Each structure stands twice: as C-alpha cells, then as structure tokens.
C-alpha cells in the first residue's frame, strides 16, 4: 500500500531472501543449538565478529581485529554504551541537519551536544573548530539526511582535527554505505585513522532489515580496554540466533549476492522515481543526495510550507517526512524539502504516490 512507500525508514520485505535466511537459521540452530543454553560473549560471538571483521576489511577498508567489534541491537544502544567509555565531560558535535534520534539520545543521557553546520562535503571543519566539541558524530559516506559524500580532502582535515588535541574522537556512522550508484565507494575514515581516534559504527538495518536489530561498533584498542573494564557486566543485546544466522548468511556468500542484487534494484527504483517526479513537477523541484544510499531530498519551489504539504499528504493517505525533523538547534531553511526513501517503493506504486504528492503540493 502506498501510505508508507516514501518512508526512508522502511525496507521492502519482498526483496529480502527469506528462504535463504531461513535455511541459514536452520543450519545455525541445528549445528550450534547448544550455544543457546548459555549467555554468549558480551561483545557478541567471536566467530560472528570474525566474519564481520573480514567483511568490513574487504568492503570498507576497515582495519580491525574481531576483538574490537561490539555487536548491539541498534546504533542508539551502541552509542549509549560508547558515551560511557568516553570522558564524562566530553562535548558531542552532531551534524545539522543530522540524525535527530542520536541528538535526542545524547541529550537524554545528559550530554552536552552542539549541532554543527555542514556543507555539500559534509561537516564543516571551521564550525567544528570554533565549537567546543571534542567528540564528533558524522556520516561521511552519505551525510544523513542531505546525502553529501565527504571527499578524501575533508576526511584528512577531520583526522587532523582529531589528532590536534587530546581526547578528541570521531564516531563514523557508516549506515547505508553499502549502496553507491554514481559515486565510487570511498573507503572508511576508520581505515585512514592511524591514531585510534575513529570509532566505526555500522548496521545491517539498511542492507538487510531494521527488524533484525543487528548493528555493531568497532572500538579503537584503548577504548576497548576501557570497555572491558567498565562495561564487562553487560550481556550481549543481540539474539544469538540472529548472530549465528547472519554469520552463515555472510559466509555462504548470500550477503554479497543480496547487496549486488539490491544495488541494481535500488539504482533502477531511484532512477524511475526521479524521472516520474521530474515529469510531474518539472522545474518546481530540485533533487539532491541521490548518488548513494536509500533516500534523496526534494526541494519544492512553492509557497506552501513543509508542514502544510505533509498535512495535505496525510489527508490523502500518504506519509511524508520533512527535512525540519533533522534540525535540532536551528530552523530549517526554505524552500520546503522532503526526504524521499525509495527502498520500499515498488515501481507499481510510483505513479499513485507521485500523483498524491503532487496534489499535496499543488491542490
Ligand atoms: C544516520 C543513521 N545511522 C544509523 C541508523 C540505523 O540505526 P539502527 O537500525 O539502530 O542500526 C539510521 C537509521 N535511520 C533512522 C531509522 F530508520 C531514521 C530515523 C528518523 O528519520 O527518524 C540512521 O539514520
């Protein structure tokens, strides 16, 4: 149904290789069921972390030992654990616009958070340097939500920033980095970091399903030592079954196959949707952030406000998300801008969804 088809938070279950996943799950359960009798390693099963470390090295140039990986059921939960490893007087810098749930999480933890200006290359170094922030959360692969891809030059500046004062860290949130269309994949910041300044965050929510709640962070060795001392009491928050199934799914090559297949599918869904939007809206819209990831931004050169467009869409049964949800400490700019996801947008739904969007903007 077309109601949630523009949502950047939803996946398309019809695209998920359920039969293969179930086969992996059955193998895992039959061969390793005794692991379910006990609590496994708080960081997640070593064998699973080894598989993920190998995958990260090949796909993202992340350099780490399995020991440095911590599995967690969600990026937020891992970030909460991370704040307990960092100096308690740390000041957190987040991108503006940025991942508002991370901003809200840090505030709820009583942390000092400053929202920092970005440009078309991602976080601005001058904004970072004039701020008091010493822990920066950034999304260099595909800035969330604008889609900016951070070039190597800016990445080097960022690493220089992190190395020019003590207790500075960069949290590299690499969500949906598996999907690149018209841009070559730039290796991770973590792989360029020679000084244990980068904490790498990843998730299977975008490449597989958010419902699996399988995410991970890669801790630099010094922080791993703090983790082992201060968070040793935590039990793993990820289901052992899901861990074992994911391991089998990666080791049998099914994960790589799925990424290839969905990259092709999402590339074409994205192209067809943009074509239909441009055919319908002409030069009243501008699209950006479509070179990678599972969503892009559309700005509308119209008088109507974002809130008004959202409301009229909902009246017509179409759920929309506006850019203002990602502004934490400043007002969103004009013109009204929406974040349109295409991972769960079937091509058969596009005409209806675009028509409803058009009515919400112009009727
Ligand atoms: C920047 C960013 N880093 C990670 C995740 C993945 O988190 P997890 O599934 O917990 O591993 C998301 C997921 N995207 C959010 C949930 F869909 C968007 C919410 C909204 O827009 O309110 C994200 O945007």
């Amino acid at each position: 149904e077309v109601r949630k088809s523009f949502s950047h938070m939803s996946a398309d279950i019809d695209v998920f290789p359920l039969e293969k996943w179930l086969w992996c799950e059955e193998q895992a359960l039959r061969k390793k069921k005794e692991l379910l009798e006990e609590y496994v390693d708080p960081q997640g099963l070593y064998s699973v972390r080894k598989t993920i470390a190998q995958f990260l090295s090949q796909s993202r140039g992340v350099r780490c030992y399995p020991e440095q990986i911590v599995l967690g059921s969600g990026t937020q939960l891992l970030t909460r654990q991370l704040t307990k490893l960092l100096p308690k007087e740390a000041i957190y810098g987040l991108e503006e616009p940025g991942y508002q749930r991370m901003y809200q999480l840090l505030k709820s933890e009583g942390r000092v958070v400053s929202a920092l200006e970005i440009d078309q290359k991602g976080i601005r170094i001058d904004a970072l340097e004039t701020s008091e922030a010493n822990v920066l959360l950034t999304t260099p692969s595909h800035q969330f939500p604008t889609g900016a891809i951070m070039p190597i030059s800016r990445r080097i500046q960022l690493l220089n920033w992190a190395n020019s004062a003590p207790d500075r860290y960069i949290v590299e949130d690499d969500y949906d980095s598996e999907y690149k269309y018209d841009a070559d994949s730039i290796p991770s910041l973590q792989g360029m970091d020679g000084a244990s300044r980068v904490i790498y965050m990843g998730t299977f929510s975008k490449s597989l399903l958010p419902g699996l709640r399988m995410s991970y962070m890669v801790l630099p060795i010094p922080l791993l030592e703090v983790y082992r001392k201060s968070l040793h009491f935590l039990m793993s928050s990820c289901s052992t079954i899901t861990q074992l199934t994911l391991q089998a799914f990666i080791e049998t090559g099914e994960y790589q196959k799925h990424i290839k297949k969905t990259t092709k599918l999402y590339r074409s869904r994205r192209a067809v949707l943009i074509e239909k939007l441009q055919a319908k809206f002409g030069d009243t819209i501008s699209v950006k952030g479509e070179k990678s990831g599972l969503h892009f931004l559309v700005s509308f050169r119209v008088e109507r406000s974002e809130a008004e467009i959202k409301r009229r869409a909902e009246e017509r049964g179409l759920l929309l998300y506006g850019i203002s949800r990602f502004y934490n400490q400043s007002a969103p700019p004009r013109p009204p801008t929406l974040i349109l996801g295409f991972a769960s947008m079937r091509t058969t739904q596009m005409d209806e969804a675009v028509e409803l969007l058009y009515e919400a903007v112009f009727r």
Side-chain angles (χ1 to χ4, degrees):
E1 35 103 32
V2 84
R3 196 175 107 69
K4 290 192 306 177
S5 51
F6 275 130
S7 169
H8 61 291
M9 296 190 238
S10 316
D12 179 349
I13 189 66
D14 302 337
V15 164
F16 183 72
L18 197 58
E19 288 316 310
K20 292 191 177 124
W21 183 264
L22 290 171
W23 183 86
C24 290
E25 185 174 60
E26 189 174 349
Q27 294 303 311
L29 276 172
R30 286 196 190 291
K31 291 188 189 139
K32 302 185 180 165
K33 60 183 181 297
E34 65 285 345
L35 282 173
L36 299 177
E37 293 172 340
E38 57 205 65
Y39 286 94
V40 299
D41 187 313
Q43 292 181 225
L45 282 166
Y46 184 83
S47 60
V48 181
R49 287 183 281 129
K50 189 160 174 284
T51 301
I52 292 176
Q54 284 161 355
F55 171 75
L56 283 178
S57 152
Q58 288 151 19
S59 65
R60 302 294 298 122
V62 169
R63 296 177 304 166
C64 73
Y65 296 104
E67 285 78 0
Q68 292 173 257
I69 294 180
V70 180
L71 301 185
S73 54
T75 302
Q76 290 167 316
L77 182 142
L78 288 166
T79 305
R80 186 192 283 140
Q81 287 183 15
L82 178 61
T83 60
K84 297 180 176 24
L85 307 179
L86 297 172
K88 62 184 179 313
E89 61 285 343
I91 295 175
Y92 292 81
L94 266 72
E95 295 161 343
E96 176 93 325
Y99 187 14
Q100 83 291 359
R101 292 176 197 258
M102 211 45 91
Y103 179 89
Q104 289 155 2
L105 172 86
L106 292 167
K107 294 297 273 187
S108 70
E109 294 280 306
R111 306 293 168 185
V112 177
V113 196
S114 58
L116 305 175
E117 217 182 324
I118 60 169
D119 60 21
Q120 75 291 355
K121 294 179 180 171
I123 190 78
R124 287 180 54 130
I125 304 295
D126 56 349
L128 181 54
E129 285 178 341
T130 47
S131 82
E132 302 289 302
N134 40 32
V135 179
L136 171 71
L137 281 80
T138 184
T139 48
S141 270
H142 179 236
Q143 200 277 332
F144 185 76
T146 64
I149 297 175
M150 187 182 288
I152 297 279
S153 53
R154 180 73 58 93
R155 289 164 188 247
I156 292 168
Q157 285 178 297
L158 214 39
L159 289 169
N160 290 341
W161 168 83
N163 287 302
S164 53
D167 280 341
R168 279 184 176 172
Y169 292 94
I170 299 169
V171 182
E172 175 179 21
D173 179 353
D174 211 24
Y175 87 104
D176 96 0
S177 61
E178 301 84 357
Y179 296 101
K180 287 273 178 292
Y181 310 110
D182 306 336
D184 48 2
S185 182
I186 302 179
S188 63
L189 253 179
Q190 194 272 2
M192 297 164 64
D193 168 33
S196 300
R197 296 291 103 203
V198 178
I199 297 102
Y200 182 88
M201 287 276 176
T203 182
F204 289 96
S205 295
K206 303 298 176 184
S207 52
L208 289 175
L209 292 170
L212 297 177
R213 305 317 298 131
M214 276 299 281
S215 314
Y216 53 91
M217 67 177 164
V218 180
L219 294 175
I221 304 277
L223 285 182
L224 175 62
E225 282 154 12
V226 179
Y227 176 88
R228 293 248 165 115
K229 275 203 287 293
S230 58
L231 297 183
H232 62 285
F233 59 90
L234 288 178
M235 309 310 290
S236 178
S237 62
C238 291
S239 142
T240 302
I241 298 178
T242 311
Q243 290 184 48
L244 291 168
T245 307
L246 176 67
Q247 180 189 348
F249 193 72
I250 295 174
E251 283 177 354
T252 53
E254 291 305 328
Y255 184 60
Q256 278 292 29
K257 264 196 266 177
H258 179 66
I259 297 275
K260 277 201 185 64
K261 181 172 149 256
T262 47
T263 300
K264 241 169 88 239
L265 173 69
Y266 295 151
R267 181 197 302 275
S268 75
R269 278 188 179 173
R270 176 202 59 150
V272 173
L273 179 57
I274 291 177
E275 220 173 83
K276 288 179 182 292
L277 285 166
Q278 284 171 339
K280 191 81 189 171
F281 287 87
D283 55 9
T284 62
I285 58 168
S286 60
V287 175
K288 76 174 187 180
E290 77 289 356
K291 290 187 173 43
S292 68
L294 301 179
H295 68 264
F296 50 77
L297 299 187
V298 180
S299 297
F300 297 82
R301 274 182 286 281
V302 294
E303 280 320 300
R304 202 165 274 176
S305 73
E306 179 194 296
E308 189 53 12
I309 292 170
K310 246 174 81 77
R311 194 182 59 73
R312 287 166 181 268
E314 260 140 41
E315 275 169 11
R316 291 166 173 77
L318 183 69
L319 185 62
L320 291 179
Y321 292 99
I323 190 90
S324 48
R325 79 191 263 111
F326 305 112
Y327 280 85
N328 299 296
Q329 285 179 358
S330 56
R334 292 262 327 148
T337 301
L338 300 177
I339 175 170
L340 298 185
F342 49 85
S344 62
M345 169 71 83
R346 282 77 166 169
T347 29
T348 51
Q349 297 171 323
M350 284 184 195
D351 289 333
E352 186 189 357
V354 170
E355 179 54 37
L356 290 174
L357 177 61
Y358 188 83
E359 289 175 14
V361 176
F362 288 109
R363 291 278 180 278

